[in-house]
């Protein structure tokens, strides 16, 4: 009887060890590299928005801003494409967790029910997210005005987009911390 009980405990321990090993592999092979890629994207977006604000304040030509955005959006494009592909593949297998949801909202600017500004911004600017193509399209739709005539609207748009990017990054970081706490024992939040 005791021998059977000890065998059962041994099997349960092996199963728990196997489960812990799989969670650690999931974290090391998927979560950590995905987080690092998302961090590259976040930093790129923040730097881009800063550079764009500076350009808007200096330039008087819409075409110069459009050209800047068209060129600048190519930077880290491969990282964004990789993140989208990885998340799309993961979505086939299970529902997105907070971490994955955060990355998608970082990259698209849509934070769903977490972000009340989303619907207001879509209505005001006829947007479907925050990507650079949205800004380019908005600028082109303005025709050929002097940047001074649309500067305030454009800076307001960028400020709102920045908030959405920051919100997506916040979800990403919080989701990462949640996943990390399930892998590393005694991590307190």
């Amino acid at each position: 009887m005791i021998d059977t009980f000890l065998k059962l405990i041994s099997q349960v321990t092996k199963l728990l060890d196997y489960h812990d090993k799989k969670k650690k592999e999931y974290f090391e092979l998927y979560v950590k590299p995905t987080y690092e890629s998302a961090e590259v994207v976040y930093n790129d977006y923040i730097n881009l928005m800063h550079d764009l604000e500076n350009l808007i304040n200096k330039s008087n030509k819409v075409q110069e801003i459009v050209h800047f955005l068209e060129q600048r959006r190519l930077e880290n494009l491969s990282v964004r494409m990789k993140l989208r592909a990885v998340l799309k593949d993961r979505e086939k297998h299970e529902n997105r967790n907070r971490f994955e949801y955060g990355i998608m909202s970082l990259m698209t600017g849509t934070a769903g029910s977490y972000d009340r500004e989303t619907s207001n911004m879509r209505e005001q600017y006829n947007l479907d997210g925050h990507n650079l193509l949205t800004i380019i399209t908005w600028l082109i739709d303005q025709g050929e005005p002097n940047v001074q005539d649309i500067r305030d609207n454009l800076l307001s748009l960028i400020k709102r987009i920045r908030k959405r990017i920051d919100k997506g990054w916040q979800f990403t970081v919080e989701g990462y911390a949640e996943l990390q706490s399930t892998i590393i024992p005694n991590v307190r939040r």
Side-chain angles (χ1 to χ4, degrees), residues 122-164:
R122 282 188 181 150
E123 287 175 22
Q124 184 175 355
Y125 293 106
N126 194 25
L127 301 178
D128 195 24
H130 79 68
N131 62 44
L132 300 181
L133 189 58
T134 301
I135 299 172
I136 294 169
T137 302
W138 186 83
L139 283 168
I140 291 170
D141 287 348
Q142 302 307 304
E144 286 297 321
N146 187 308
V147 172
Q148 290 175 335
D149 298 336
I150 61 171
R151 182 173 282 128
D152 290 342
N153 287 339
L154 192 51
L155 290 171
S156 175
L157 172 62
I158 291 167
K159 183 178 178 180
R160 289 178 181 193
I161 288 172
R162 169 70 193 266
K163 279 184 173 180
R164 295 168 77 180

Side-chain angles (χ1 to χ4, degrees), residues 26 89-97 100:
Y26 166 74
D89 183 63
R90 291 267 310 142
E91 187 177 40
K92 294 176 192 173
H93 304 291
E94 56 189 78
N95 292 331
R96 284 194 182 123
N97 55 40
E100 294 163 330

Side-chain angles (χ1 to χ4, degrees), residues 13-173:
T13 301
K14 286 179 185 176
L15 184 61
L16 291 173
D17 288 345
Y18 175 78
H19 182 67
D20 286 346
K21 180 183 173 192
K22 286 297 184 187
K23 285 191 333 186
K24 287 177 184 174
E25 284 178 6
Y26 166 74
F27 189 83
E28 290 298 320
L29 297 175
Y30 170 68
V31 175
K32 189 175 179 180
T34 303
Y35 176 84
E36 290 168 354
S37 293
E39 189 171 31
V40 168
V41 169
Y42 173 73
N43 289 329
D44 182 51
Y45 279 155
I46 295 307
N47 290 331
L48 182 142
M49 292 299 156
H50 176 75
D51 294 345
L52 181 58
E53 286 174 337
N54 287 338
L55 179 61
I56 290 166
N57 284 317
K58 291 177 186 175
S59 177
N60 286 322
K61 297 181 181 176
V62 169
Q63 192 56 39
E64 184 179 351
I65 297 169
V66 170
H67 179 73
F68 166 79
L69 288 170
E70 288 174 337
Q71 294 303 306
R72 186 61 173 74
R73 71 189 291 247
L74 299 176
E75 292 181 28
N76 292 303
L77 178 61
S78 62
V79 178
R80 294 190 310 274
M81 290 173 70
K82 178 178 77 171
L83 280 173
R84 284 187 187 102
V86 166
L87 292 177
K88 187 175 183 176
D89 183 63
R90 291 267 310 142
E91 187 177 40
K92 294 176 192 173
H93 304 291
E94 56 189 78
N95 292 331
R96 284 194 182 123
N97 55 40
R98 184 178 183 87
F99 170 69
E100 294 163 330
Y101 176 77
I103 294 171
M104 287 308 294
S105 33
L106 162 70
M107 292 174 38
T108 63
T110 54
S113 62
Y114 292 104
D115 188 356
R116 293 179 153 218
E117 287 186 26
T118 301
S119 61
N120 294 340
M121 187 172 174
R122 282 188 181 150
E123 287 175 22
Q124 184 175 355
Y125 293 106
N126 194 25
L127 301 178
D128 195 24
H130 79 68
N131 62 44
L132 300 181
L133 189 58
T134 301
I135 299 172
I136 294 169
T137 302
W138 186 83
L139 283 168
I140 291 170
D141 287 348
Q142 302 307 304
E144 286 297 321
N146 187 308
V147 172
Q148 290 175 335
D149 298 336
I150 61 171
R151 182 173 282 128
D152 290 342
N153 287 339
L154 192 51
L155 290 171
S156 175
L157 172 62
I158 291 167
K159 183 178 178 180
R160 289 178 181 193
I161 288 172
R162 169 70 193 266
K163 279 184 173 180
R164 295 168 77 180
I165 290 168
D166 286 339
K167 188 66 134 178
W169 182 242
Q170 177 186 344
F171 294 152
T172 302
V173 171

